[in-house]
Amino acid sequence: MNPQQLSDLYEIQLLKARYFRFMDLRMWDEWRNLFTDDMELYIEDSKSPESTATPTVRGADALVAYLSASDPGKITVHQGHMPEIEFVDEDTATGIWAMFDWVDDPGRGIASQGYGHYHEQYVRCPDGNWRISSVHLTRLRTNDVPHQPPDHQPHLDAGMLNAVAHLQRP
């Protein structure tokens, strides 16, 4: 891998990190800027991408409009791991990311944890920034989980801290 590809690899990893953070924090304007205008999203009910699949959503604006209209009480946690990034040429790359997501959507009456992969295509745009041009989301497993109450605030309390205090090094 040459120095430019190392730099590009880092930029693609930042792109995907921002994808997860901006989506979970509902930062829609920033999230929109991560995609090409003509991006396609495929949500597939399979363990690997289907070459004959029809896009679930076409266009970055349509995707943002759909997700930003979701229940404001919806809470999501997305994580991506173990990226496999390959360069097709100097302005095009592909990537596969292992993923975990936790979605609590009271408006739709669902709460679940999911495991699978993002299969993506990236392009370097004329402004020099890498953007996502295609996403195939596949699932290995989905587990239903209980809803969290709307006022649930995760925190470390004194009992939790005392329980792990013995793990501190002297």
Side-chain angles (χ1 to χ4, degrees):
M1 190 172 285
N2 66 45
Q4 182 59 53
Q5 286 176 323
L6 286 172
S7 176
D8 291 339
L9 175 65
Y10 178 70
E11 291 299 321
I12 291 169
Q13 290 174 336
L14 284 178
L15 170 70
K16 193 62 179 178
R18 290 176 180 132
Y19 169 97
F20 293 125
R21 181 169 58 93
F22 294 163
M23 181 170 37
D24 290 340
L25 294 177
R26 303 172 71 89
M27 298 171 65
W28 302 123
D29 291 339
E30 294 86 346
W31 197 64
R32 165 59 182 92
N33 195 42
L34 304 178
F35 302 102
T36 60
D37 293 342
D38 61 349
M39 71 82 62
E40 293 182 333
L41 169 68
Y42 301 79
I43 300 176
E44 301 186 37
D45 197 18
S46 63
K47 293 183 179 183
S48 60
E50 308 265 337
S51 61
T52 60
T54 301
T56 308
V57 177
R58 282 194 168 110
D61 291 335
L63 177 60
V64 171
Y66 171 74
L67 288 178
S68 65
S70 65
D71 182 343
K74 177 180 179 178
I75 297 172
T76 62
V77 177
H78 290 84
Q79 298 177 357
H81 310 278
M82 305 179 306
E84 302 172 50
I85 309 298
E86 295 185 17
F87 292 97
V88 176
D89 58 39
E90 64 184 24
D91 293 322
T92 311
T94 62
I96 301 172
W97 297 76
M99 61 77 69
F100 166 81
D101 65 1
W102 182 80
V103 176
D104 195 339
D105 190 348
R108 291 178 34 209
I110 62 166
S112 65
Q113 293 178 342
Y115 308 86
H117 294 92
Y118 283 92
H119 302 258
E120 298 180 326
Q121 294 179 356
Y122 313 100
V123 296
R124 185 191 328 265
C125 294
D127 65 2
N129 291 315
W130 285 94
R131 290 194 173 80
I132 301 167
S133 63
S134 175
V135 178
H136 287 255
L137 175 59
T138 60
R139 298 281 184 170
L140 299 173
R141 180 184 179 112
T142 303
N143 299 328
D144 292 334
V145 296
H147 285 286
Q148 294 292 321
D151 60 348
H152 174 74
Q153 292 295 320
H155 63 279
L156 291 175
D157 60 18
M160 173 70 76
L161 295 173
N162 287 334
V164 297
H166 70 281
L167 300 174
Q168 293 179 3
R169 293 185 177 153

